[in-house]
Amino acid sequence: PAPSAPAVSGVSLSALSEALLNIVSDKTGYPAEMLELEMDIEADLGIDSIKRVEILGAMRDEFPQLPDLPAEDLAELRTLQEIVDYMGDQMPSGSSNGKAEIASPKAPAPEKATNGGATPALTQLDHDIPRTPTALKPLPRPDFIAVDPPADGVCVLTDDGTPLTGMVAEGLSAKGWSVVVLSFPSDVVGRQSAIPSHVARVTLSDMAEVRIEEALKTISDGHGHIAAFVHISPSSHQLGANGDLFVSAEKALVKHAFLLAKHLKRPLNDAAERGYALFMTVARLDGAFGTRDGRYGAVSGGLFGLTKTVNLEWAGVFCRALDVSAGLDDATAAAQIIAEMHDPNRVLVDVGLSQSGRVTIVASAVV
């Protein structure tokens, strides 16, 4: 049963518990009446980290006064009750049962003005949050390990609407892969890439999640088990960013990359047990993770977080997140994408590719 506690600012732990159960029901499909707070998130409910992020995001939407919760702390929570208790413990005010309640956020301190009120002074924040500057680390060319495509295995390649997709498909076919190109609706990606005649294409009629399930089933039933997935994101300029950081089409594509990962979990892990599986995302920023050039949208940067999460959870699947500079010509970009698929280095996840060379991003120091 949900814990009861006096309400503070109109929100109690029991309200948190009820909301969490309803959200978990909505996200997982389990009837709310079957859920118990003592259930194990993974063992009982099968909730992975991607689904956990969706659930916690929905909680933040319903209770905007919830503070930011560190992902590393949340990863340690095993049951729904632990999530509720943890949320309560992070709140500044206490309740009679020892659990903290959600308090209204403090009003920001008034800004101090200087020069007669013309320029507000910066508020000094007292915190112990470490700052970790990032730096680019040059990398040598990737080593090469021969990868025999799995028997009856398929590589699913998303369509960015440029010749790059066709070139990658051709290069993979030359290495023995059976390739299926997954194209998006024309209102998201304006045109379809030209692809070789021997490469199959499946087109999503709309961006509903059910269409992803249907498309992946069509591919598995008609072409073979899915053993590799490469998502090529169109550049922000191609999507009509015009300097905008947040482009609706780019947001829709990143969301679908997350949903594709959700539905590819089982087939790719099954393929890994048979010998080889790949999950790769390709963003088109500046080839340096956004540290050199600001002429792109910010949303596709989420592909790096997705790929690193998948890398931690899918131990047998080779995962890599590429930032391929939009300034690279398509033929060079295609060759480098395929080369990264054959890199034996399983520790490295983030790789930037540009005219300046190959890099990764590291923490340079803590200040």
Side-chain angles (χ1 to χ4, degrees):
S4 60
V8 175
S9 300
V11 181
S12 65
L13 287 179
S14 59
L16 272 178
S17 302
E18 181 180 358
L20 180 62
L21 292 175
N22 288 333
I23 289 170
V24 169
S25 173
D26 179 64
K27 298 295 183 181
T28 63
Y30 291 111
E33 59 271 17
M34 292 180 57
L35 298 175
E36 297 288 342
L37 291 172
E38 293 74 21
M39 285 182 167
D40 188 282
I41 297 168
E42 295 184 5
D44 295 331
L45 300 174
I47 296 174
D48 59 17
S49 66
I50 296 174
K51 181 66 68 178
R52 188 184 302 216
V53 169
E54 293 180 16
I55 291 170
L56 295 175
M59 287 291 288
R60 288 294 305 277
D61 290 342
E62 186 154 345
F63 301 105
Q65 60 268 65
L66 278 172
D68 288 327
L69 304 175
E72 60 271 19
D73 290 350
L74 293 171
E76 300 298 321
L77 305 180
R78 310 309 306 168
T79 68
L80 299 177
Q81 182 67 67
E82 289 178 8
I83 291 179
V84 172
D85 291 344
Y86 179 81
M87 288 179 176
D89 288 340
Q90 302 308 302
M91 304 306 163
S93 58
S95 67
S96 60
N97 67 351
K99 296 296 181 183
E101 294 296 327
I102 300 179
S104 300
K106 294 182 180 179
E111 294 180 334
K112 298 179 181 179
T114 60
N115 298 329
T119 305
L122 294 176
T123 301
Q124 296 297 320
L125 299 178
D126 182 15
H127 63 79
D128 59 356
I129 302 172
R131 297 178 65 244
T132 307
T134 58
L136 296 178
K137 178 183 177 181
L139 294 172
R141 291 183 179 180
D143 291 329
F144 180 88
I145 184 172
V147 175
D148 293 326
D152 195 32
V154 173
C155 177
V156 176
L157 175 66
T158 65
D159 187 354
D160 76 334
T162 76
L164 176 61
T165 297
M167 292 180 183
V168 174
E170 183 64 58
L172 291 174
S173 298
K175 292 186 177 296
W177 280 97
S178 174
V179 180
V180 177
V181 170
L182 181 63
S183 295
F184 296 100
S186 59
D187 60 339
V188 178
V189 178
R191 60 184 180 184
Q192 293 185 344
S193 302
I195 58 176
S197 59
H198 59 272
V199 172
R201 186 196 304 271
V202 173
T203 302
L204 297 174
S205 59
D206 58 52
M207 298 295 275
E209 182 175 356
V210 66
R211 301 292 174 258
I212 292 177
E213 296 181 82
E214 292 170 354
L216 295 180
K217 186 176 188 304
T218 296
I219 293 170
S220 297
D221 292 347
H223 303 280
H225 70 268
I226 298 172
F229 171 73
V230 181
H231 173 73
I232 304 180
S233 179
S235 67
S236 299
H237 176 72
Q238 181 187 341
L239 295 172
N242 294 322
D244 296 335
L245 287 176
F246 303 100
V247 183
S248 58
E250 191 173 22
K251 181 178 179 180
L253 289 169
V254 171
K255 175 182 177 180
H256 268 63
F258 275 76
L259 293 174
L260 281 161
K262 169 184 173 182
H263 293 286
L264 287 169
K265 177 181 179 180
R266 177 171 293 177
L268 289 184
N269 280 279
D270 288 347
E273 291 182 0
R274 289 191 287 265
Y276 179 81
L278 168 78
F279 183 91
M280 176 179 284
T281 58
V282 182
R284 304 303 304 274
L285 305 180
D286 57 359
F289 311 101
T291 63
R292 290 177 179 158
D293 185 356
R295 293 175 296 177
Y296 50 81
V299 180
S300 61
L303 296 173
F304 301 106
L306 168 63
T307 309
K308 284 185 282 192
T309 300
V310 168
N311 181 63
L312 290 172
E313 294 195 348
W314 302 354
V317 179
F318 175 33
C319 299
R320 183 145 295 179
L322 303 181
D323 175 15
V324 178
S325 170
L328 281 181
D329 66 87
D330 291 329
T332 300
Q336 292 190 347
I337 289 170
I338 294 172
E340 293 294 334
M341 295 175 61
H342 289 269
D343 186 8
N345 187 342
R346 293 297 186 97
V347 177
L348 183 66
V349 179
D350 296 332
V351 174
L353 301 166
S354 70
Q355 297 91 331
S356 301
R358 184 172 182 254
V359 297
T360 191
I361 193 165
V362 297
S364 60
V366 177
V367 297

